[in-house]
Structures are given as C-alpha cells and as structure tokens.
C-alpha cells in the first residue's frame, strides 16, 4: 500500500488581514463570494500577499491540484493500493477519498476546495470526496505505518540520499501489504521545516535539480506500481 502525504500544502482561504484590501474585494465581487471565502492564490492576490508572513510558501493551490491529478485515477489507485492525505501549512490534515474523480478544470477544483476549507468536508452530505480529519501529521504517519508489521517512511527531499530511478525501485517492497508512506512538499519555495522533516526516517533525493511536486509524486507512484506488479503485467 502506498500512502502519499502532500506536505505543507499551500492551500488556505484569504486570511483576515487581507480581506479589506481593494484588490481582494474586487476579486470577491467578480466571484460573487465574500473575501474570506476565497482561496488565497498568488495569481490573483500576489500584490496583497506581499503583506503576509511566509508569503513565499503560501497561495499556490495549483501545486496540490496538479499533484492530485498525477496520482488519482491511476492503476494503483484503481487497485485500492493508494491513500492520499494533504497536510496544510496550519497543521490540519485532509483525507482524500481515493475513488474521487477530481475536476479537470482548475477553477472548479478551487470552488470545491473553498467549500472544503469552509465546511470541513465536500460534499456537505453523503459520502465525502474529501474531509478535514481530527489528527496531526505525527499521528497520521504513526497510524499509517502501524497498518503493517513492516513499513517504510520516506521523504522526497533535496539533500537526501542520492537515489537513482533504479535504486528507488529496489528500495520499494515487492509485497504490497508492506505500508510505504511517502511525503512530498506541496509548497513553492523555502525549506521543509525540521519538525516535518524529522518525522520521516528515510530521506531520498531523486535528482540533482529541484523537481516539481507532481513529478516527484508521479515518479514514485509509477516505480511503486511497477514494483508491486500493478503495471507492466501482460
Ligand atoms: C518545489 S519543491 C519545494 C521547494 C523546497 N525548496 C523544498 O526544499 O522542499 C517540491 C517538493 O518536491 C520534492 N522534491 C523537489 N526536488 C526534489 C529532489 N531533487 N529530490 C527529491 N525530492 C524533491 C520535495 O518533497 C519538495 O518539497
């Protein structure tokens, strides 16, 4: 089983300190929403965001969107061997239903995730596609790892152990009952906080260059899928 956790996801609603700014109010009018109901997005709120602490790491929901697109609806996901969680910058954790069909359209994804951040789940009734769960990142990792007697807790990170595509494949277990937890940062700039980094026992650098989060997700997911025999069987 592969458990992907997107770390420090740059998704949040427009914070209170920006809601009275003209640029935000105009954007809210165009979207027929209240300013505090809008997803913070550097594309639309870049100028206002210069006032925010930690602005380099915030307002990039596209990273989460593209990463989710790269891992959901894959053969591994369809085989029931994938779970996905989002860990937000404020520490909250979102569980994604792996059977979800994510909107292909970015604006629709934003609308849906605005509702999720406001109401704690989407849709409001019935089986959730995604919901905020009452756990912390350390507890989540511990619980996922406890699902099997053996587990691997991997963090993709620059500066980790240099790991070629071949070595990556060899590190991954052939037995899909062994739980593999993979952390990938879903923020644009800055360093992974030590408090997050230290929760992962194995750190892997997959290329000498910095990679996009969705490429990292895709690389590990396809290596794992091939290792456990979900793809490449004819
Ligand atoms: C654009 S980076 C985030 C930038 C940030 N400087 C960092 O150090 O995490 C997105 C994420 O992809 C993963 N990543 C990026 N480059 C990588 C590499 N060369 N090897 C392994 N993982 C990498 C990391 O999990 C990283 O957090």
């Amino acid at each position: 089983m592969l458990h992907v956790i997107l770390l420090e996801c740059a998704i949040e609603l427009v914070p209170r300190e920006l809601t009275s700014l003209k640029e935000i109010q105009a954007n809210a009018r165009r979207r027929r929403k209240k300013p505090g109901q809008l997803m913070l997005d550097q594309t639309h709120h870049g100028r206002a965001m210069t006032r925010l602490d930690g602005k380099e790491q915030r307002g990039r929901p596209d990273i989460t969107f593209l990463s989710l697109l790269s891992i959901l609806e894959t053969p591994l996901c369809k085989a029931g061997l994938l779970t996905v969680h989002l860990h937000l910058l404020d520490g909250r954790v979102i569980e994604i239903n792996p059977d979800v069909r994510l909107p292909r359209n970015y604006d629709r994804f934003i609308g849906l995730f605005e509702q999720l951040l406001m109401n704690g789940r989407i849709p409001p009734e019935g089986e959730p596609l995604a919901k905020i769960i009452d756990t912390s990142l350390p507890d989540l990792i511990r619980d996922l790892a406890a699902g099997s007697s053996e587990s691997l807790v991997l963090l993709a990170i620059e500066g980790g152990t240099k790991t070629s595509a071949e070595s990556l494949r060899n590190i991954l277990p052939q037995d899909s009952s062994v739980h593999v937890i993979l952390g990938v940062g879903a923020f644009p700039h800055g360093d992974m906080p030590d408090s997050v980094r230290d929760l992962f026992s194995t750190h892997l650098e997959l290329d000498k260059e910095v990679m996009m989060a969705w490429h990292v997700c895709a690389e590990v997911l396809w290596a794992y899928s091939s290792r456990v025999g979900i793809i490449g069987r004819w």
Side-chain angles (χ1 to χ4, degrees):
M1 192 91 183
L2 179 67
H3 302 282
V4 177
I5 309 176
L6 297 178
L7 300 165
E8 303 278 295
C9 291
I11 61 174
E12 64 181 296
L13 296 174
V14 167
R16 193 183 291 271
E17 64 259 48
L18 301 189
T19 51
S20 60
L21 297 177
K22 270 190 187 159
E23 172 190 350
I24 301 282
Q25 300 252 344
N27 185 232
R29 270 195 304 278
R30 269 197 303 281
R31 300 233 7 248
R32 296 169 203 259
K33 293 203 165 202
K34 296 192 176 129
Q37 298 175 335
L38 298 175
M39 180 74 80
L40 185 71
D41 193 326
Q42 276 188 12
T43 306
H44 305 295
H45 313 132
R47 198 143 37 103
M49 282 182 63
T50 57
R51 301 166 181 242
L52 288 180
D53 289 339
K55 57 182 178 296
E56 300 82 12
Q57 289 188 298
R58 301 171 67 176
R60 286 291 308 276
D62 57 306
I63 299 175
T64 299
F65 174 62
L66 292 169
S67 300
L68 288 176
L69 277 184
S70 84
I71 51 183
L72 293 170
E73 296 180 66
T74 48
L76 190 74
C77 192
K78 288 177 187 163
L81 291 176
L82 179 77
T83 73
V84 187
H85 291 86
L86 311 180
H87 161 251
L88 308 190
L89 285 166
D90 64 10
R92 284 181 296 170
V93 174
I94 293 171
E95 182 179 85
I96 304 288
N97 179 344
D99 298 329
V100 68
R101 204 169 169 275
L102 203 70
R104 305 310 191 230
N105 178 284
Y106 180 62
D107 292 340
R108 286 201 52 223
F109 164 81
I110 290 295
L112 207 55
F113 271 59
E114 285 168 343
Q115 282 176 38
L116 172 62
L117 293 176
M118 275 185 300
N119 305 329
R121 57 172 281 154
I122 41 172
E125 303 287 330
E127 197 193 352
L129 303 177
K131 61 180 180 190
I132 297 175
I133 56 172
D134 185 17
T135 194
S136 62
L137 182 62
D139 286 351
L140 174 70
I141 295 173
R142 194 203 51 216
D143 292 347
L144 293 175
S148 60
S149 51
E150 255 185 276
S151 59
L152 281 181
V153 184
L154 309 176
L155 177 65
I157 190 161
E158 292 167 83
T161 305
K162 292 181 183 16
T163 310
S164 64
E166 184 65 26
S167 329
L168 172 64
R169 205 173 171 283
N170 292 333
I171 289 169
L172 296 169
Q174 279 181 299
D175 178 356
S176 64
S177 71
V178 175
H179 284 214
V180 177
I181 293 115
L182 169 72
V184 180
F187 55 95
H189 302 289
D191 292 330
M192 188 80 74
D194 287 346
S195 57
V196 172
R197 177 193 296 248
D198 293 348
L199 298 171
F200 294 81
S201 51
T202 303
H203 295 180
L204 306 176
E205 182 176 80
L206 301 173
D207 193 72
K208 62 180 189 308
E209 304 290 342
V210 61
M211 296 167 73
M212 297 295 108
W214 54 94
H215 292 155
V216 174
C217 289
E219 179 172 339
V220 179
L221 184 128
W222 290 99
Y224 180 81
S225 304
S226 140
R227 188 70 169 150
V228 297
I230 288 296
I231 55 167
R233 294 175 302 181
W234 280 275

